[in-house]
Amino acid sequence: MTSRDSASSEITPAVLLRAYACGIFPMAESADDPTLFWVEPELRGVIPLDGFRIASRLARTVRSDAFRVTVNTAFKATISGCAAPQAGREDTWINKRIRDLYGGLHALGHCHSVEVWQDDDLVGGLYGVSLGRAFFGESMFHRVRDASKVALVHLVARLIAGGFELLDTQYVTEHLKSFGAVEISRRRYTALLDKSLAGEPADFLRLPAEQPIAGTRALEIIATRQ
């Protein structure tokens, strides 16, 4: 279900958080379209944190620490990477209003980025919204093979360590299915969301952000939930 927002200029980071708490999120038709619309999918994509799957080849890449992984050190560059055209994706839904709104959430501590580096080059990453014990994945990108996958592995390790219960992917793609993503009904999603918003919130920064964790440590944390 989608609904056009006739007063998109009135959307603020605080309004955006309330929308996420209700199970809806904004999108734009394209990067050049200044308007936003609200989306509430009939079927919602989630990755169960106790069912996260990592292919053996990817696990070897993560374990090798061929990439350096950081958190919240290059948020604007990460969202720009997600907005840029990629092979098979000539346009994205990330327009200037999306960048500004999620930049505001980042300043409030409710939006985070995971960055993947090769030497001094940002080669992949992802960003998403943290609320209660739920994390809403927004977008990811890669410029080098496996870079976004490594970001996702490190994200999941951080979510498990921080006490999160729900990893929302919005939709399910073949790529996300390989990690264990499934589609659930709106009713089931709402129940999971309500549960994750009640009680003590999770801590995205329980693993220190200022010091990257090793790939082996990330895999060990994930193994505790499998």
Side-chain angles (χ1 to χ4, degrees):
M1 181 176 70
T2 62
S3 61
R4 287 283 170 183
D5 175 55
S6 58
S8 61
S9 61
E10 297 177 9
I11 299 176
T12 65
V15 169
L16 196 51
L17 285 179
R18 289 197 293 271
Y20 274 98
C22 295
I24 60 177
F25 55 88
M27 294 186 75
E29 287 289 356
S30 71
D32 297 324
D33 188 339
T35 62
L36 302 178
F37 58 92
W38 294 112
V39 182
E40 186 181 17
E42 290 285 347
L43 294 174
R44 195 72 164 234
V46 300
I47 296 180
L49 293 175
D50 56 1
F52 186 66
R53 298 199 299 261
I54 307 173
S56 56
R57 186 189 65 79
L58 177 60
R60 288 195 297 271
T61 300
V62 171
R63 196 175 291 113
S64 73
D65 289 325
F67 300 107
R68 180 170 56 92
V69 182
T70 59
V71 173
N72 291 343
T73 64
F75 181 83
K76 289 184 178 180
T78 299
I79 199 170
S80 293
C82 291
Q86 295 192 53
R89 189 185 75 181
E90 296 305 313
D91 198 7
T92 74
W93 50 269
I94 302 172
N95 63 7
K96 184 180 185 302
R97 281 200 52 73
I98 292 285
R99 294 191 197 204
D100 290 345
L101 280 169
Y102 287 84
L105 284 186
H106 178 63
L108 292 173
H110 281 286
C111 197
H112 304 282
S113 58
V114 178
E115 307 100 8
V116 178
W117 306 82
Q118 196 170 62
D119 298 324
D120 293 326
D121 296 324
L122 181 66
V123 294
L126 57 82
Y127 76 98
V129 175
S130 170
L131 185 63
R133 295 188 304 281
F135 188 88
F136 309 86
E138 287 298 314
S139 188
M140 60 174 60
F141 81 100
H142 70 276
R143 297 182 179 126
V144 173
R145 182 183 181 184
D146 289 341
S148 62
K149 296 178 181 179
V150 170
L152 182 57
V153 170
H154 277 260
L155 170 70
V156 170
R158 181 168 290 275
L159 297 183
I160 292 171
F164 286 79
E165 294 184 1
L166 176 63
L167 173 52
D168 175 3
T169 67
Q170 299 178 348
Y171 300 101
V172 171
T173 63
E174 290 302 316
H175 173 66
L176 292 175
K177 279 184 181 179
S178 68
F179 289 96
V182 295
E183 284 184 329
I184 59 175
S185 69
R186 182 186 296 167
R187 183 174 181 178
R188 174 62 176 155
Y189 174 78
T190 299
L192 291 175
L193 177 61
D194 289 347
K195 181 174 181 288
S196 70
L197 296 180
E200 190 71 19
D203 182 4
F204 189 83
L205 300 177
R206 187 166 296 166
L207 291 179
E210 61 275 7
Q211 183 176 354
I213 66 167
T216 298
R217 176 62 179 144
L219 294 174
E220 288 174 347
I221 292 170
I222 292 170
T224 65
R225 288 289 297 266
Q226 295 176 332

